[in-house]
Amino acid sequence: MDFKYKKKYEAEPGQNGMKRKCFGKDGEDLVINVPIGTVVIDEASGKIMKDLTADGDSFVCCKGGRGGKGNVHFKSSTRQAPNFAEAGGEAKERNIILELKLLADVGLVGFPNVGKSTLLSESTSANPKIADYHFTTIDPNLGVVSIFDDSFVMADIAGLIEGASQGLGMGFRFLKHIERTKVLIHVVDVSGSEGRNPIEDFDKINNELSAYSERILQKPQLVCANKIDNLELGTDDPKYLEFKAYVEGKGYTVFPCACAFGLGVRELLSATLIKLREVQNNPVEIDTNEYFDFELDDYDPNYRDVEYGYDEEENVFFVEGKQLNKIFNSTNFNDMGSLRYLYKYIENSGAIDGLKEMGLSEGSIIRVNGYDMEYWDEF
């Protein structure tokens, strides 16, 4: 909620230098607190800068500008009391995306109203909202399953629908949470109480998972054939037997359950724990995410702080840039050394050579930071 209403964050600026060769005080670091499981993404490149998965994780997203040099730095044998100084550097500005992905070992997936919240409440001390209508779960619910002196975290992912991978229903808002889970429990209403075919439900959800990310469908998946109590013959019902044969033919294990009454839940959780231990002991998942490299991705060979050109309407050449403006504003125009420092900065940026190719000559007007200056080849 903090980030919903506040989008822009600025760190405190540093202080100016002081008398007697003293540095100015550094600005305080701006620390932004986020929940565990937050992924920080650079908006420009789309790459992950940091995945904050542990309590206390932190990293520097944007560095402040380097401090400038005071006038004492320019003191020499011929210039005993320089009356100009160097401006500090510009701080880094960046747009980032904060994306929360829940940290859960096991994720419950399936159509709305198939009994995922009921299974979570029966398995853990969590109290999710349960009602006989779709999308009662509008936020993921987490619970801790304790079984056989062991435990794991289980998440009730909000009801998916056909087209979720394209953003329909709850869409991406919840599909992203499944990415972190190690094992999936696919809950299916095997009774077809809402007029849908259980086999079609099973295929549609897996198709959506696959369309969102092939890696998700590669996760171990157990199938909870829920609402078995609604079938006249229970596990001997032809509808259940047809579903079981179809799903097991695709390599999945089916567990008949009546979650509302706790029937079959312990057997399902026991198998889930075994599968989870297998995954944890033999991790095979490959991280295919692209990560931000601060040395390479922060460097742009085409970037230059000073931009230059010719304004035909005003009939003036111009140079501009954030750092240039900062140096310009700190220039003492009554001091030749200070002016020379400004000129050298512009010259070293390549702007003068570039402007000469555009027709710059002695007596031409160069506009810097809104001020017009006459150019002379010998400074």
Side-chain angles (χ1 to χ4, degrees):
M1 292 299 292
D2 292 346
F3 306 113
K4 184 174 183 179
Y5 297 106
K6 185 175 180 181
K7 304 285 187 183
K8 185 176 181 179
Y9 290 80
E10 293 184 57
E12 179 187 51
Q15 291 180 349
N16 293 328
M18 297 177 287
K19 297 178 180 179
R20 299 182 181 178
K21 303 180 183 179
C22 290
F23 290 101
K25 177 179 175 294
D26 288 342
E28 290 290 330
D29 290 342
L30 172 65
V31 179
I32 301 174
N33 294 310
V34 296
I36 295 174
T38 298
V39 183
V40 184
I41 302 169
D42 175 57
E43 185 183 61
S45 66
K47 295 181 180 179
I48 295 174
M49 301 182 73
K50 184 72 174 179
D51 195 351
L52 302 163
T53 57
D55 189 22
D57 276 357
S58 65
F59 82 109
V60 178
C61 175
C62 294
K63 290 185 177 180
R66 180 183 60 85
K69 298 181 177 70
N71 64 337
V72 69
H73 178 83
F74 300 96
K75 183 179 177 181
S76 67
S77 58
T78 57
R79 187 192 296 123
Q80 293 295 312
N83 60 355
F84 66 94
E86 180 190 54
E90 283 288 322
K92 183 71 179 180
E93 294 182 10
R94 173 177 279 121
N95 289 335
I96 61 171
I97 298 169
L98 300 178
E99 187 174 89
L100 180 63
K101 294 183 181 180
L102 293 181
L103 296 170
D105 300 306
V106 178
L108 303 178
V109 299
F111 267 90
N113 209 30
V114 293
K116 297 187 300 300
S117 296
T118 303
L119 175 57
L120 183 71
S121 65
E122 187 66 31
S123 309
T124 72
S125 58
N127 293 302
K129 184 178 180 181
I130 299 172
D132 190 22
Y133 55 84
H134 291 189
F135 297 112
T136 50
T137 302
I138 57 174
D139 287 305
N141 291 305
L142 289 174
V144 178
V145 177
S146 298
I147 185 171
F148 302 136
D149 296 324
D150 207 339
S151 64
F152 57 85
V153 178
M154 190 158 70
D156 170 16
I157 310 300
L160 304 178
I161 62 170
E162 193 172 10
S165 59
Q166 279 77 50
L168 298 181
M170 297 295 186
F172 304 123
R173 183 178 171 189
F174 295 110
L175 276 167
K176 63 186 179 184
H177 294 302
I178 305 173
E179 292 183 87
R180 287 201 195 275
T181 58
K182 300 179 180 70
V183 175
L184 298 178
I185 296 178
H186 190 157
V187 184
V188 180
D189 177 2
V190 75
S191 71
S193 61
E194 297 200 347
R196 297 193 308 268
N197 184 303
I199 292 176
E200 291 180 1
D201 279 8
F202 175 79
D203 283 340
K204 285 177 180 178
I205 291 298
N206 276 348
N207 288 339
E208 291 305 320
L209 296 179
S210 177
Y212 179 74
S213 172
E214 285 287 348
R215 291 173 56 204
I216 292 180
L217 204 57
Q218 293 169 4
K219 296 177 185 291
Q221 183 178 136
L222 306 176
V223 181
C224 171
N226 194 27
K227 303 188 182 181
I228 195 75
D229 53 304
N230 287 352
L231 292 175
E232 188 175 349
L233 300 177
T235 54
D236 293 326
D237 197 284
K239 200 169 187 178
Y240 168 73
L241 295 175
E242 181 188 8
F243 174 80
K244 184 176 187 295
Y246 178 82
V247 173
E248 292 188 345
K250 289 184 171 290
Y252 302 100
T253 305
V254 178
F255 295 86
C257 296
C259 295
F261 305 103
L263 299 176
V265 172
R266 189 167 182 80
E267 291 79 4
L268 172 62
L269 297 180
S270 300
T272 302
L273 179 61
I274 293 170
K275 187 63 68 176
L276 189 58
R277 285 173 175 171
E278 291 176 2
V279 173
Q280 291 170 337
N281 293 333
N282 302 288
V284 293
E285 191 168 336
I286 300 173
D287 189 354
T288 59
N289 291 314
E290 269 198 283
Y291 287 88
F292 190 86
D293 188 314
F294 280 88
E295 289 187 11
L296 297 177
D297 293 321
D298 249 359
Y299 171 71
D300 181 357
N302 298 316
Y303 171 80
R304 53 187 183 201
D305 175 62
V306 176
E307 297 291 335
Y308 56 84
Y310 178 70
D311 188 331
E312 294 184 1
E313 291 186 7
E314 298 286 335
N315 192 30
V316 295
F317 296 90
F318 65 87
V319 289
E320 56 188 27
K322 285 185 177 180
Q323 183 64 14
L324 171 62
N325 290 346
K326 201 162 189 177
I327 292 173
F328 184 89
N329 290 333
S330 66
T331 298
N332 181 354
F333 289 93
N334 294 318
D335 183 90
M336 188 56 67
S338 184
L339 280 169
R340 186 174 288 110
Y341 181 84
L342 171 65
Y343 175 78
K344 284 295 181 184
Y345 180 83
I346 297 174
E347 185 180 49
N348 292 338
S349 72
I352 297 298
D353 290 338
L355 289 177
K356 283 182 177 180
E357 293 179 5
M358 296 179 182
L360 179 71
S361 60
E362 288 196 357
S364 296
I365 300 299
I366 301 178
R367 181 166 294 167
V368 184
N369 200 25
Y371 291 87
D372 292 346
M373 306 172 69
E374 195 171 352
Y375 171 72
W376 292 99
D377 209 7
E378 293 296 328
F379 194 83

